[in-house]
Coordinates of all heavy atoms in Angstrom, one line a residue:
M1 N 0.8 -1.2 0.0 CA 0.1 0.1 0.0 C 0.9 1.3 0.0 O 1.9 1.4 0.7 CB -0.8 0.1 1.3 CG -1.7 1.2 1.4 SD -3.0 1.0 2.6 CE -2.8 2.5 3.5
L2 N 0.5 2.2 -0.9 CA 1.2 3.4 -1.0 C 1.0 4.3 0.3 O -0.1 4.5 0.7 CB 0.8 4.2 -2.2 CG 1.4 5.6 -2.3 CD1 3.0 5.4 -2.6 CD2 0.7 6.3 -3.5
R3 N 2.2 4.6 0.7 CA 2.0 5.7 1.9 C 2.7 7.0 1.5 O 3.9 7.0 1.1 CB 2.7 5.1 3.2 CG 1.9 3.9 3.8 CD 2.4 3.4 5.0 NE 3.1 4.3 5.8 CZ 4.2 4.0 6.6 NH1 4.6 2.6 6.7 NH2 4.8 4.8 7.4
L4 N 2.0 8.0 1.6 CA 2.5 9.3 1.2 C 3.8 9.8 2.0 O 4.6 10.4 1.6 CB 1.5 10.4 1.1 CG 0.4 10.2 0.1 CD1 -0.6 11.4 0.3 CD2 1.1 10.3 -1.3
S5 N 3.7 9.2 3.3 CA 4.8 9.5 4.2 C 6.1 9.0 3.7 O 7.1 9.6 3.9 CB 4.5 8.9 5.5 OG 4.4 7.5 5.5
Q6 N 6.1 7.9 2.9 CA 7.3 7.3 2.3 C 7.9 8.3 1.2 O 9.1 8.5 1.2 CB 7.0 6.0 1.6 CG 6.8 4.8 2.6 CD 6.3 3.7 1.9 OE1 5.3 3.6 1.0 NE2 7.0 2.5 2.0
I7 N 7.0 8.8 0.5 CA 7.4 9.9 -0.6 C 7.9 11.0 0.2 O 9.0 11.6 -0.2 CB 6.3 10.1 -1.5 CG1 5.9 8.9 -2.3 CG2 6.7 11.2 -2.4 CD1 4.7 9.0 -3.0
W8 N 7.2 11.5 1.1 CA 7.7 12.7 1.9 C 9.0 12.5 2.5 O 10.0 13.4 2.4 CB 6.7 13.2 2.9 CG 7.2 14.3 3.8 CD1 7.6 14.2 5.1 CD2 7.3 15.7 3.3 NE1 7.9 15.5 5.5 CE2 7.8 16.4 4.4 CE3 7.1 16.3 2.2 CZ2 8.1 17.8 4.4 CZ3 7.3 17.6 2.1 CH2 7.9 18.4 3.1
Q9 N 9.2 11.3 3.2 CA 10.6 11.0 3.7 C 11.7 10.9 2.7 O 12.8 11.4 2.9 CB 10.5 9.7 4.5 CG 9.6 9.8 5.8 CD 9.2 8.5 6.4 OE1 9.7 7.4 5.9 NE2 8.4 8.5 7.4
S10 N 11.3 10.4 1.5 CA 12.3 10.3 0.5 C 12.7 11.7 0.0 O 13.8 12.0 -0.2 CB 11.7 9.5 -0.7 OG 12.7 9.5 -1.8
W11 N 11.7 12.5 -0.1 CA 11.9 14.0 -0.5 C 12.8 14.7 0.4 O 13.9 15.3 0.2 CB 10.6 14.7 -0.7 CG 10.7 16.3 -0.7 CD1 10.5 17.1 0.4 CD2 11.1 17.0 -1.9 NE1 10.8 18.4 -0.1 CE2 11.1 18.4 -1.4 CE3 11.6 16.7 -3.1 CZ2 11.5 19.4 -2.2 CZ3 12.0 17.8 -3.9 CH2 11.9 19.1 -3.4
R12 N 12.6 14.5 1.8 CA 13.3 15.2 2.8 C 14.8 14.6 2.9 O 15.6 15.1 3.5 CB 12.7 14.9 4.1 CG 11.3 15.6 4.3 CD 11.4 17.1 4.3 NE 12.2 17.5 5.5 CZ 12.8 18.7 5.4 NH1 13.0 19.4 4.4 NH2 13.6 18.9 6.5
R13 N 15.1 13.3 2.3 CA 16.4 12.8 2.3 C 17.3 13.3 1.2 O 18.4 13.2 1.1 CB 16.3 11.2 2.2 CG 16.0 10.6 3.6 CD 16.2 9.2 3.6 NE 15.4 8.4 2.6 CZ 14.1 7.9 2.8 NH1 13.6 8.1 4.0 NH2 13.5 7.3 2.0
L14 N 16.7 14.1 0.2 CA 17.4 14.7 -0.9 C 18.3 15.7 -0.2 O 17.9 16.4 0.7 CB 16.4 15.2 -1.9 CG 15.6 14.2 -2.7 CD1 14.6 15.0 -3.5 CD2 16.5 13.4 -3.6
P15 N 19.5 16.0 -0.9 CA 20.2 17.1 -0.4 C 19.3 18.5 -0.5 O 18.6 18.6 -1.4 CB 21.4 17.1 -1.4 CG 21.4 15.8 -2.0 CD 20.0 15.2 -2.0
L16 N 19.7 19.3 0.5 CA 19.1 20.6 0.6 C 19.1 21.4 -0.8 O 18.0 22.0 -1.2 CB 19.6 21.5 1.8 CG 18.8 22.8 2.0 CD1 17.4 22.6 2.2 CD2 19.6 23.6 3.0
W17 N 20.2 21.4 -1.5 CA 20.4 22.1 -2.6 C 19.5 21.6 -3.7 O 19.0 22.3 -4.6 CB 21.9 22.2 -3.1 CG 22.5 20.9 -3.6 CD1 23.1 19.9 -3.0 CD2 22.4 20.5 -5.0 NE1 23.4 18.9 -3.9 CE2 22.9 19.2 -5.0 CE3 21.8 21.0 -6.1 CZ2 23.2 18.5 -6.2 CZ3 21.9 20.3 -7.4 CH2 22.6 19.0 -7.4
V18 N 19.2 20.2 -3.7 CA 18.4 19.6 -4.8 C 16.9 20.1 -4.5 O 16.2 20.4 -5.4 CB 18.5 18.0 -4.6 CG1 17.4 17.5 -5.6 CG2 19.9 17.6 -5.1
M19 N 16.4 20.0 -3.3 CA 15.2 20.4 -2.9 C 14.9 21.9 -3.3 O 14.0 22.3 -3.9 CB 14.9 20.3 -1.4 CG 14.8 18.9 -1.0 SD 14.3 18.6 0.7 CE 15.7 19.0 1.6
I20 N 15.9 22.7 -3.1 CA 15.8 24.2 -3.4 C 15.8 24.3 -5.0 O 14.9 25.0 -5.6 CB 17.0 25.0 -2.8 CG1 16.8 25.1 -1.3 CG2 17.1 26.4 -3.5 CD1 18.1 25.6 -0.5
W21 N 16.6 23.7 -5.6 CA 16.8 23.6 -7.1 C 15.4 23.2 -7.7 O 14.9 24.0 -8.6 CB 17.8 22.7 -7.5 CG 17.8 22.4 -9.0 CD1 17.4 21.4 -9.6 CD2 18.2 23.3 -10.1 NE1 17.5 21.4 -10.9 CE2 18.1 22.5 -11.3 CE3 18.8 24.5 -10.2 CZ2 18.5 23.1 -12.5 CZ3 19.1 25.1 -11.4 CH2 18.9 24.3 -12.6
V22 N 14.8 22.1 -7.2 CA 13.6 21.6 -7.7 C 12.4 22.6 -7.5 O 11.6 23.0 -8.4 CB 13.2 20.3 -7.2 CG1 11.8 19.9 -7.6 CG2 14.3 19.1 -7.7
V23 N 12.2 23.0 -6.2 CA 11.0 23.9 -5.8 C 11.1 25.3 -6.3 O 10.3 26.0 -6.7 CB 10.9 23.8 -4.3 CG1 9.9 24.9 -3.7 CG2 10.6 22.4 -3.8
L24 N 12.3 25.9 -6.3 CA 12.5 27.3 -6.6 C 12.9 27.7 -8.0 O 12.8 28.7 -8.4 CB 13.5 28.0 -5.6 CG 13.0 28.0 -4.2 CD1 14.0 28.7 -3.3 CD2 11.6 28.6 -3.9
I25 N 13.5 26.7 -8.7 CA 13.9 27.0 -10.0 C 13.3 26.0 -11.1 O 12.7 26.4 -12.0 CB 15.6 26.9 -9.9 CG1 16.1 27.9 -9.0 CG2 16.1 27.1 -11.3 CD1 17.6 27.8 -8.8
L26 N 13.7 24.7 -11.0 CA 13.3 23.8 -12.0 C 11.8 23.7 -12.3 O 11.4 23.8 -13.4 CB 13.9 22.4 -11.6 CG 13.8 21.3 -12.8 CD1 14.7 21.7 -13.9 CD2 14.2 19.9 -12.3
V27 N 11.1 23.4 -11.3 CA 9.6 23.4 -11.5 C 8.9 24.7 -11.9 O 8.2 24.7 -13.0 CB 8.9 22.7 -10.2 CG1 7.3 22.9 -10.5 CG2 9.4 21.3 -10.0
P28 N 9.2 25.8 -11.3 CA 8.6 27.1 -11.7 C 9.0 27.5 -13.2 O 8.1 27.9 -13.9 CB 9.2 28.1 -10.7 CG 9.5 27.2 -9.5 CD 9.9 26.0 -10.0
I29 N 10.2 27.3 -13.5 CA 10.6 27.8 -14.8 C 9.9 26.9 -16.0 O 9.6 27.4 -17.0 CB 12.1 27.9 -15.1 CG1 12.4 28.7 -16.4 CG2 12.7 26.5 -15.1 CD1 12.1 30.2 -16.2
N30 N 9.9 25.6 -15.7 CA 9.2 24.7 -16.6 C 7.7 25.0 -16.7 O 7.2 24.9 -17.8 CB 9.6 23.2 -16.4 CG 10.9 22.9 -16.9 OD1 11.1 22.8 -18.1 ND2 12.1 23.0 -16.1
L31 N 7.1 25.2 -15.5 CA 5.7 25.5 -15.6 C 5.3 26.9 -16.2 O 4.3 27.0 -16.8 CB 5.1 25.5 -14.1 CG 4.9 24.0 -13.6 CD1 4.4 24.2 -12.0 CD2 3.9 23.3 -14.3
A32 N 6.3 27.8 -16.1 CA 6.0 29.1 -16.6 C 5.9 29.0 -18.1 O 5.4 30.0 -18.8 CB 7.2 30.0 -16.3
S33 N 6.4 28.0 -18.8 CA 6.3 27.8 -20.2 C 4.8 27.9 -20.6 O 4.4 28.2 -21.8 CB 6.9 26.5 -20.7 OG 6.3 25.4 -20.2
L34 N 3.8 27.5 -19.7 CA 2.5 27.5 -20.0 C 2.0 29.0 -20.3 O 0.9 29.2 -21.0 CB 1.6 26.9 -18.9 CG 1.9 25.4 -18.6 CD1 1.2 24.9 -17.4 CD2 1.3 24.6 -19.8
L35 N 2.7 29.9 -19.9 CA 2.3 31.3 -20.1 C 2.6 31.7 -21.5 O 2.1 32.9 -22.0 CB 3.2 32.3 -19.1 CG 2.9 31.9 -17.7 CD1 3.9 32.8 -16.9 CD2 1.5 32.4 -17.2
F36 N 3.3 31.0 -22.3 CA 3.7 31.4 -23.6 C 3.1 30.5 -24.7 O 3.7 30.4 -25.8 CB 5.3 31.4 -23.7 CG 5.9 32.3 -22.7 CD1 6.4 31.9 -21.5 CD2 6.0 33.7 -23.1 CE1 7.0 32.8 -20.6 CE2 6.6 34.6 -22.3 CZ 7.1 34.2 -21.0
V37 N 2.0 29.8 -24.4 CA 1.6 28.8 -25.4 C 1.1 29.5 -26.8 O 1.0 28.9 -27.8 CB 0.5 27.9 -24.9 CG1 1.0 27.0 -23.9 CG2 -0.7 28.7 -24.4
A38 N 0.7 30.8 -26.6 CA 0.3 31.6 -27.8 C 1.5 32.0 -28.7 O 1.3 32.5 -29.8 CB -0.5 32.7 -27.4
Q39 N 2.7 31.9 -28.3 CA 4.0 32.3 -29.0 C 4.4 31.2 -30.0 O 3.9 30.1 -29.9 CB 5.1 32.5 -28.0 CG 5.0 33.6 -27.0 CD 4.9 35.0 -27.7 OE1 5.7 35.3 -28.6 NE2 4.1 35.8 -27.3
P40 N 5.1 31.6 -31.0 CA 5.6 30.7 -31.9 C 6.3 29.5 -31.2 O 7.2 29.8 -30.3 CB 6.6 31.4 -32.9 CG 6.1 32.8 -32.8 CD 5.5 32.9 -31.3
F41 N 6.1 28.3 -31.5 CA 6.7 27.2 -30.8 C 6.3 26.9 -29.4 O 6.6 26.0 -28.7 CB 8.2 27.1 -30.7 CG 8.9 27.5 -32.2 CD1 9.4 28.6 -32.5 CD2 8.9 26.4 -33.0 CE1 10.0 28.9 -33.7 CE2 9.6 26.6 -34.3 CZ 10.0 27.8 -34.6

């Protein structure tokens, strides 16, 4: 059975710089691409 706590614990075991990179840079910049769907490409 899936336990979300396992996923959370795995997330917390990542290095701090990886968590910061993912949350503050990687995910936001890739999601921001949705703001430009009307542009060429």
Side-chain angles (χ1 to χ4, degrees):
M1 181 171 128
L2 173 67
R3 291 186 26 216
L4 292 179
S5 64
Q6 291 173 303
I7 294 170
W8 176 251
Q9 290 166 3
S10 177
W11 167 255
R12 296 294 297 154
R13 285 190 296 271
L14 291 171
L16 180 60
W17 72 267
V18 173
M19 290 188 284
I20 291 169
W21 167 259
V22 169
V23 171
L24 297 180
I25 299 170
L26 191 65
V27 170
I29 194 70
N30 279 280
L31 285 178
S33 64
L34 294 169
L35 300 172
F36 297 99
V37 294
Q39 295 292 318
F41 309 103

